[in-house]
Amino acid sequence: MNLGLTDKIVILSGGAGVEGSISHAIFEGLIAEGAIPILLDTHPRGKSYIEQLQEKGGKGHFIQVDLTDPIQCKQAIEETIQEVGPVDVLINLAGGNDSVGLDASYEAFVASLHRNLIHFFLLAKHSLSSLKAQQGCILNIGSKVALTGQGNTSGYAAAKAGILGLTREWAVDLSQFDIRVNALIISECWTPGYESWINQFDDPKAKLKQIEDLIPLGRRMTRPKEIAHTALFLISTCASHITGQFVFVDGGYRHLDRALGTLA
């Protein structure tokens, strides 16, 4: 299916994730659709991803950047525009659950917001002139934690809730420019990071089954490719009249009756 993403310049923050991660699945999806991915990440593996892409004749760009630094965020967008061209799509993904709870210091809490929220604002702010000119779109990647809580993760929960608030706010602000803004919300997705977390338990298989039994559709974890497919749809011309939405890819985990887990 042609999603209309050919030669679209797509910024993907946190885009240098390991193979099997959500960011890598989105990166591969962008390549398959002929888009031009711009990977923003602290990890240098992003450079090798882009080099491999270019060896195959594809187009892309990697910028090694500390997204907690406001100046580097601005410079990353400027470099993208100067070296590649105006931004068509911004996918805000970078961040991670850092377990900064109520017992953390003020400094740790603010640092968590920088890791998980503030760069969303900065990248959108500095991309705005391009997005207006291109009538582009923004996709914010969120988490169920914004809606359910989790425990001992005040910084991450506040950031993820802020992402949802910004999604609706920006959808209002930018509708006059035909810029769409949506959020894709993730619950339980099987990634290398999730596997590492599961393996910390005394009986990883039992823990995994306990979680999967609470997922109504298929009694299984969401796959990264399923997240990527939805992300690609939401940034495509196929979603040309969708904005301000929170889209859940979770097999019904968030919305369907948890009592269904007892029927597994």
Side-chain angles (χ1 to χ4, degrees):
M1 184 176 186
N2 183 357
L3 295 176
L5 294 174
T6 302
D7 290 332
K8 296 294 185 182
I9 296 172
V10 182
I11 289 180
L12 176 59
S13 74
V18 298
E19 292 189 23
S21 66
I22 292 167
S23 67
H24 194 262
I26 294 174
F27 172 59
E28 289 187 319
L30 291 171
I31 294 170
E33 290 296 326
I36 303 173
I38 312 298
L39 306 184
L40 308 185
D41 207 302
T42 57
H43 201 290
R45 77 167 67 86
K47 185 173 186 290
S48 66
Y49 287 164
I50 295 301
E51 287 174 346
Q52 292 168 24
L53 171 61
Q54 292 172 339
E55 287 170 4
K56 296 175 182 177
K59 300 176 185 177
H61 192 65
F62 170 65
I63 303 174
Q64 190 167 5
V65 55
D66 178 0
L67 292 171
T68 66
D69 183 336
I71 294 174
Q72 290 190 43
C73 287
K74 183 173 185 290
Q75 291 173 338
I77 300 302
E78 290 173 344
E79 180 177 332
T80 297
I81 295 170
Q82 291 169 5
E83 297 294 326
V84 187
V87 179
D88 292 292
V89 179
L90 169 63
I91 302 178
N92 279 315
L93 171 63
N97 197 330
D98 46 23
S99 298
V100 175
L102 272 172
D103 59 346
S105 67
Y106 161 81
E107 290 79 11
F109 179 76
V110 171
S112 181
L113 296 183
H114 275 281
R115 281 190 294 272
N116 291 297
L117 174 65
I118 294 174
H119 58 81
F120 280 52
F121 169 81
L122 291 171
L123 295 179
K125 173 182 174 63
H126 297 306
S127 299
L128 195 52
S129 60
S130 279
L131 292 171
K132 287 179 179 179
Q134 304 300 107
Q135 291 187 338
C137 66
I138 299 171
L139 178 62
N140 295 323
I141 307 298
S143 167
K144 68 176 177 63
V145 173
L147 300 164
T148 64
Q150 180 175 298
N152 194 41
T153 189
S154 294
Y156 183 75
K160 292 302 178 180
I163 288 166
L164 298 187
L166 289 178
T167 297
R168 289 271 163 85
E169 175 69 7
W170 295 346
V172 171
D173 274 347
L174 302 180
S175 62
Q176 62 183 305
F177 304 109
D178 289 329
I179 296 173
R180 300 181 300 104
V181 187
N182 293 294
L184 194 163
I185 302 177
I186 300 166
S187 293
E188 308 298 325
C189 185
W190 188 251
T191 63
Y194 201 106
E195 184 176 12
S196 295
W197 176 74
I198 282 288
N199 287 335
Q200 295 175 9
F201 292 90
D202 293 336
D203 190 343
K205 288 185 179 179
K207 182 63 176 178
L208 179 58
K209 185 177 186 305
Q210 179 187 27
I211 295 168
E212 289 179 329
D213 283 347
L214 294 173
I215 301 172
L217 190 60
R219 308 294 178 188
R220 65 169 177 83
M221 306 282 284
T222 305
R223 302 179 183 114
K225 279 190 176 181
E226 292 170 322
I227 301 292
H229 291 161
T230 309
L232 292 169
F233 166 74
L234 287 171
I235 65 172
S236 78
T237 55
C238 293
S240 57
H241 210 228
I242 299 175
T243 194
Q245 299 302 304
F246 304 157
V247 179
F248 294 77
V249 185
D250 63 1
Y253 181 89
R254 172 67 182 83
H255 289 94
L256 301 186
D257 194 332
R258 291 298 179 87
L260 291 169
T262 63
L263 304 177

